[in-house]
Amino acid sequence: MNAATFSALAEPNRVNILELLRDFGELTVGEIAQRLGLRMPQSSKHLHVLANAGLVNVKADANRRIYSIRQESFEEMDQWFESFIREKEEQFNRFEELLIKKQATEKRNE
């Protein structure tokens, strides 16, 4: 998980490409361009950025390039986000405990 990943995901067309690959599996540059209404060079550029960020796999088949999701990258991302979620849940739990103590103290002082 690095800045290149976030940078790649910041562009809406790249997210659309990832969603296509998620939904349809392996696709060629031409198929991606056609389904998203993009020009081939534009699609190739976006796919190059996604590949450099480690988000997609590419394999050559004669003169075609076939792209697919690199599942490991999304598992890493999921683990990274989970670490933040766990930390926030712990903070909320501590805050809840503090509120309960404060409410109990206020009831005793009434």
PDB file of all heavy atoms in Angstrom, residues 2-22:
ATOM      1  N   ASN A   2       0.776   2.049  -1.053  1.00  0.00           N
ATOM      2  CA  ASN A   2       1.613   3.239  -1.133  1.00  0.00           C
ATOM      3  C   ASN A   2       0.865   4.371  -1.826  1.00  0.00           C
ATOM      4  O   ASN A   2      -0.290   4.227  -2.224  1.00  0.00           O
ATOM      5  CB  ASN A   2       2.933   2.922  -1.837  1.00  0.00           C
ATOM      6  CG  ASN A   2       2.702   2.347  -3.217  1.00  0.00           C
ATOM      7  OD1 ASN A   2       1.821   2.778  -3.943  1.00  0.00           O
ATOM      8  ND2 ASN A   2       3.495   1.359  -3.587  1.00  0.00           N
ATOM      9  N   ALA A   3       1.546   5.485  -1.977  1.00  0.00           N
ATOM     10  CA  ALA A   3       0.917   6.662  -2.578  1.00  0.00           C
ATOM     11  C   ALA A   3       0.503   6.421  -4.021  1.00  0.00           C
ATOM     12  O   ALA A   3      -0.485   6.982  -4.490  1.00  0.00           O
ATOM     13  CB  ALA A   3       1.864   7.856  -2.486  1.00  0.00           C
ATOM     14  N   ALA A   4       1.246   5.585  -4.742  1.00  0.00           N
ATOM     15  CA  ALA A   4       0.900   5.287  -6.140  1.00  0.00           C
ATOM     16  C   ALA A   4      -0.468   4.624  -6.226  1.00  0.00           C
ATOM     17  O   ALA A   4      -1.223   4.872  -7.172  1.00  0.00           O
ATOM     18  CB  ALA A   4       1.965   4.393  -6.764  1.00  0.00           C
ATOM     19  N   THR A   5      -0.800   3.823  -5.238  1.00  0.00           N
ATOM     20  CA  THR A   5      -2.114   3.174  -5.214  1.00  0.00           C
ATOM     21  C   THR A   5      -3.215   4.214  -5.106  1.00  0.00           C
ATOM     22  O   THR A   5      -4.171   4.206  -5.881  1.00  0.00           O
ATOM     23  CB  THR A   5      -2.206   2.186  -4.037  1.00  0.00           C
ATOM     24  OG1 THR A   5      -1.136   1.250  -4.135  1.00  0.00           O
ATOM     25  CG2 THR A   5      -3.521   1.448  -4.036  1.00  0.00           C
ATOM     26  N   PHE A   6      -3.074   5.124  -4.158  1.00  0.00           N
ATOM     27  CA  PHE A   6      -4.086   6.161  -3.980  1.00  0.00           C
ATOM     28  C   PHE A   6      -4.151   7.093  -5.187  1.00  0.00           C
ATOM     29  O   PHE A   6      -5.225   7.509  -5.602  1.00  0.00           O
ATOM     30  CB  PHE A   6      -3.833   6.965  -2.709  1.00  0.00           C
ATOM     31  CG  PHE A   6      -4.140   6.185  -1.465  1.00  0.00           C
ATOM     32  CD1 PHE A   6      -3.133   5.845  -0.590  1.00  0.00           C
ATOM     33  CD2 PHE A   6      -5.431   5.786  -1.177  1.00  0.00           C
ATOM     34  CE1 PHE A   6      -3.415   5.130   0.554  1.00  0.00           C
ATOM     35  CE2 PHE A   6      -5.726   5.070  -0.038  1.00  0.00           C
ATOM     36  CZ  PHE A   6      -4.710   4.732   0.834  1.00  0.00           C
ATOM     37  N   SER A   7      -3.012   7.408  -5.738  1.00  0.00           N
ATOM     38  CA  SER A   7      -2.972   8.264  -6.916  1.00  0.00           C
ATOM     39  C   SER A   7      -3.702   7.605  -8.086  1.00  0.00           C
ATOM     40  O   SER A   7      -4.463   8.255  -8.801  1.00  0.00           O
ATOM     41  CB  SER A   7      -1.522   8.555  -7.292  1.00  0.00           C
ATOM     42  OG  SER A   7      -1.458   9.352  -8.438  1.00  0.00           O
ATOM     43  N   ALA A   8      -3.473   6.309  -8.263  1.00  0.00           N
ATOM     44  CA  ALA A   8      -4.142   5.583  -9.345  1.00  0.00           C
ATOM     45  C   ALA A   8      -5.647   5.551  -9.136  1.00  0.00           C
ATOM     46  O   ALA A   8      -6.421   5.678 -10.094  1.00  0.00           O
ATOM     47  CB  ALA A   8      -3.588   4.163  -9.435  1.00  0.00           C
ATOM     48  N   LEU A   9      -6.078   5.407  -7.900  1.00  0.00           N
ATOM     49  CA  LEU A   9      -7.506   5.323  -7.601  1.00  0.00           C
ATOM     50  C   LEU A   9      -8.203   6.686  -7.597  1.00  0.00           C
ATOM     51  O   LEU A   9      -9.433   6.749  -7.580  1.00  0.00           O
ATOM     52  CB  LEU A   9      -7.711   4.646  -6.248  1.00  0.00           C
ATOM     53  CG  LEU A   9      -7.319   3.172  -6.188  1.00  0.00           C
ATOM     54  CD1 LEU A   9      -7.369   2.675  -4.751  1.00  0.00           C
ATOM     55  CD2 LEU A   9      -8.197   2.339  -7.096  1.00  0.00           C
ATOM     56  N   ALA A  10      -7.428   7.755  -7.658  1.00  0.00           N
ATOM     57  CA  ALA A  10      -8.013   9.096  -7.603  1.00  0.00           C
ATOM     58  C   ALA A  10      -8.686   9.496  -8.916  1.00  0.00           C
ATOM     59  O   ALA A  10      -9.449  10.458  -8.944  1.00  0.00           O
ATOM     60  CB  ALA A  10      -6.941  10.120  -7.245  1.00  0.00           C
ATOM     61  N   GLU A  11      -8.425   8.770  -9.983  1.00  0.00           N
ATOM     62  CA  GLU A  11      -8.966   9.117 -11.298  1.00  0.00           C
ATOM     63  C   GLU A  11     -10.209   8.272 -11.576  1.00  0.00           C
ATOM     64  O   GLU A  11     -10.141   7.040 -11.548  1.00  0.00           O
ATOM     65  CB  GLU A  11      -7.883   8.852 -12.356  1.00  0.00           C
ATOM     66  CG  GLU A  11      -7.905   9.780 -13.536  1.00  0.00           C
ATOM     67  CD  GLU A  11      -9.084   9.573 -14.476  1.00  0.00           C
ATOM     68  OE1 GLU A  11      -9.601   8.446 -14.572  1.00  0.00           O
ATOM     69  OE2 GLU A  11      -9.489  10.548 -15.111  1.00  0.00           O
ATOM     70  N   PRO A  12     -11.352   8.888 -11.817  1.00  0.00           N
ATOM     71  CA  PRO A  12     -12.607   8.142 -11.996  1.00  0.00           C
ATOM     72  C   PRO A  12     -12.579   7.095 -13.107  1.00  0.00           C
ATOM     73  O   PRO A  12     -13.155   6.020 -12.948  1.00  0.00           O
ATOM     74  CB  PRO A  12     -13.639   9.236 -12.312  1.00  0.00           C
ATOM     75  CG  PRO A  12     -13.067  10.476 -11.729  1.00  0.00           C
ATOM     76  CD  PRO A  12     -11.580  10.344 -11.838  1.00  0.00           C
ATOM     77  N   ASN A  13     -11.908   7.380 -14.217  1.00  0.00           N
ATOM     78  CA  ASN A  13     -11.844   6.379 -15.293  1.00  0.00           C
ATOM     79  C   ASN A  13     -11.114   5.115 -14.850  1.00  0.00           C
ATOM     80  O   ASN A  13     -11.472   4.011 -15.251  1.00  0.00           O
ATOM     81  CB  ASN A  13     -11.175   6.950 -16.550  1.00  0.00           C
ATOM     82  CG  ASN A  13     -12.083   7.879 -17.313  1.00  0.00           C
ATOM     83  OD1 ASN A  13     -13.273   7.616 -17.475  1.00  0.00           O
ATOM     84  ND2 ASN A  13     -11.539   8.993 -17.766  1.00  0.00           N
ATOM     85  N   ARG A  14     -10.122   5.281 -14.013  1.00  0.00           N
ATOM     86  CA  ARG A  14      -9.376   4.114 -13.521  1.00  0.00           C
ATOM     87  C   ARG A  14     -10.249   3.280 -12.586  1.00  0.00           C
ATOM     88  O   ARG A  14     -10.209   2.053 -12.621  1.00  0.00           O
ATOM     89  CB  ARG A  14      -8.092   4.557 -12.840  1.00  0.00           C
ATOM     90  CG  ARG A  14      -7.128   5.170 -13.822  1.00  0.00           C
ATOM     91  CD  ARG A  14      -5.789   5.511 -13.179  1.00  0.00           C
ATOM     92  NE  ARG A  14      -5.117   6.453 -14.052  1.00  0.00           N
ATOM     93  CZ  ARG A  14      -4.598   7.601 -13.658  1.00  0.00           C
ATOM     94  NH1 ARG A  14      -4.607   7.946 -12.384  1.00  0.00           N
ATOM     95  NH2 ARG A  14      -4.024   8.409 -14.526  1.00  0.00           N
ATOM     96  N   VAL A  15     -11.028   3.943 -11.774  1.00  0.00           N
ATOM     97  CA  VAL A  15     -11.963   3.215 -10.906  1.00  0.00           C
ATOM     98  C   VAL A  15     -12.979   2.478 -11.765  1.00  0.00           C
ATOM     99  O   VAL A  15     -13.300   1.314 -11.499  1.00  0.00           O
ATOM    100  CB  VAL A  15     -12.649   4.175  -9.909  1.00  0.00           C
ATOM    101  CG1 VAL A  15     -13.726   3.458  -9.113  1.00  0.00           C
ATOM    102  CG2 VAL A  15     -11.622   4.800  -8.975  1.00  0.00           C
ATOM    103  N   ASN A  16     -13.465   3.127 -12.823  1.00  0.00           N
ATOM    104  CA  ASN A  16     -14.405   2.468 -13.742  1.00  0.00           C
ATOM    105  C   ASN A  16     -13.776   1.243 -14.396  1.00  0.00           C
ATOM    106  O   ASN A  16     -14.433   0.208 -14.562  1.00  0.00           O
ATOM    107  CB  ASN A  16     -14.889   3.444 -14.817  1.00  0.00           C
ATOM    108  CG  ASN A  16     -15.758   4.539 -14.258  1.00  0.00           C
ATOM    109  OD1 ASN A  16     -16.346   4.404 -13.179  1.00  0.00           O
ATOM    110  ND2 ASN A  16     -15.843   5.651 -14.958  1.00  0.00           N
ATOM    111  N   ILE A  17     -12.505   1.348 -14.749  1.00  0.00           N
ATOM    112  CA  ILE A  17     -11.797   0.209 -15.340  1.00  0.00           C
ATOM    113  C   ILE A  17     -11.723  -0.931 -14.335  1.00  0.00           C
ATOM    114  O   ILE A  17     -11.987  -2.094 -14.669  1.00  0.00           O
ATOM    115  CB  ILE A  17     -10.387   0.620 -15.816  1.00  0.00           C
ATOM    116  CG1 ILE A  17     -10.499   1.533 -17.048  1.00  0.00           C
ATOM    117  CG2 ILE A  17      -9.526  -0.595 -16.114  1.00  0.00           C
ATOM    118  CD1 ILE A  17      -9.196   2.207 -17.460  1.00  0.00           C
ATOM    119  N   LEU A  18     -11.378  -0.615 -13.101  1.00  0.00           N
ATOM    120  CA  LEU A  18     -11.295  -1.653 -12.068  1.00  0.00           C
ATOM    121  C   LEU A  18     -12.651  -2.309 -11.835  1.00  0.00           C
ATOM    122  O   LEU A  18     -12.731  -3.526 -11.649  1.00  0.00           O
ATOM    123  CB  LEU A  18     -10.751  -1.065 -10.766  1.00  0.00           C
ATOM    124  CG  LEU A  18      -9.277  -0.666 -10.804  1.00  0.00           C
ATOM    125  CD1 LEU A  18      -8.908   0.122  -9.556  1.00  0.00           C
ATOM    126  CD2 LEU A  18      -8.389  -1.886 -10.973  1.00  0.00           C
ATOM    127  N   GLU A  19     -13.708  -1.523 -11.868  1.00  0.00           N
ATOM    128  CA  GLU A  19     -15.047  -2.090 -11.694  1.00  0.00           C
ATOM    129  C   GLU A  19     -15.404  -3.017 -12.854  1.00  0.00           C
ATOM    130  O   GLU A  19     -16.000  -4.075 -12.638  1.00  0.00           O
ATOM    131  CB  GLU A  19     -16.078  -0.977 -11.543  1.00  0.00           C
ATOM    132  CG  GLU A  19     -15.970  -0.259 -10.215  1.00  0.00           C
ATOM    133  CD  GLU A  19     -16.874   0.951 -10.085  1.00  0.00           C
ATOM    134  OE1 GLU A  19     -17.398   1.434 -11.112  1.00  0.00           O
ATOM    135  OE2 GLU A  19     -17.045   1.419  -8.945  1.00  0.00           O
ATOM    136  N   LEU A  20     -15.017  -2.636 -14.064  1.00  0.00           N
ATOM    137  CA  LEU A  20     -15.242  -3.510 -15.222  1.00  0.00           C
ATOM    138  C   LEU A  20     -14.507  -4.835 -15.058  1.00  0.00           C
ATOM    139  O   LEU A  20     -15.079  -5.907 -15.282  1.00  0.00           O
ATOM    140  CB  LEU A  20     -14.720  -2.839 -16.506  1.00  0.00           C
ATOM    141  CG  LEU A  20     -15.662  -2.054 -17.369  1.00  0.00           C
ATOM    142  CD1 LEU A  20     -14.936  -1.531 -18.600  1.00  0.00           C
ATOM    143  CD2 LEU A  20     -16.862  -2.870 -17.780  1.00  0.00           C
ATOM    144  N   LEU A  21     -13.246  -4.744 -14.683  1.00  0.00           N
ATOM    145  CA  LEU A  21     -12.449  -5.960 -14.503  1.00  0.00           C
ATOM    146  C   LEU A  21     -12.992  -6.817 -13.363  1.00  0.00           C
ATOM    147  O   LEU A  21     -12.985  -8.043 -13.448  1.00  0.00           O
ATOM    148  CB  LEU A  21     -10.980  -5.601 -14.261  1.00  0.00           C
ATOM    149  CG  LEU A  21     -10.264  -4.940 -15.447  1.00  0.00           C
ATOM    150  CD1 LEU A  21      -8.883  -4.457 -15.029  1.00  0.00           C
ATOM    151  CD2 LEU A  21     -10.184  -5.888 -16.625  1.00  0.00           C
ATOM    152  N   ARG A  22     -13.469  -6.162 -12.324  1.00  0.00           N
ATOM    153  CA  ARG A  22     -14.084  -6.902 -11.217  1.00  0.00           C
ATOM    154  C   ARG A  22     -15.323  -7.657 -11.695  1.00  0.00           C
ATOM    155  O   ARG A  22     -15.529  -8.822 -11.363  1.00  0.00           O
ATOM    156  CB  ARG A  22     -14.456  -5.943 -10.091  1.00  0.00           C
ATOM    157  CG  ARG A  22     -15.161  -6.617  -8.915  1.00  0.00           C
ATOM    158  CD  ARG A  22     -15.913  -5.644  -8.059  1.00  0.00           C
ATOM    159  NE  ARG A  22     -16.968  -4.999  -8.842  1.00  0.00           N
ATOM    160  CZ  ARG A  22     -17.507  -3.826  -8.533  1.00  0.00           C
ATOM    161  NH1 ARG A  22     -17.088  -3.152  -7.489  1.00  0.00           N
ATOM    162  NH2 ARG A  22     -18.462  -3.306  -9.282  1.00  0.00           N
TER     163      ARG A  22
END
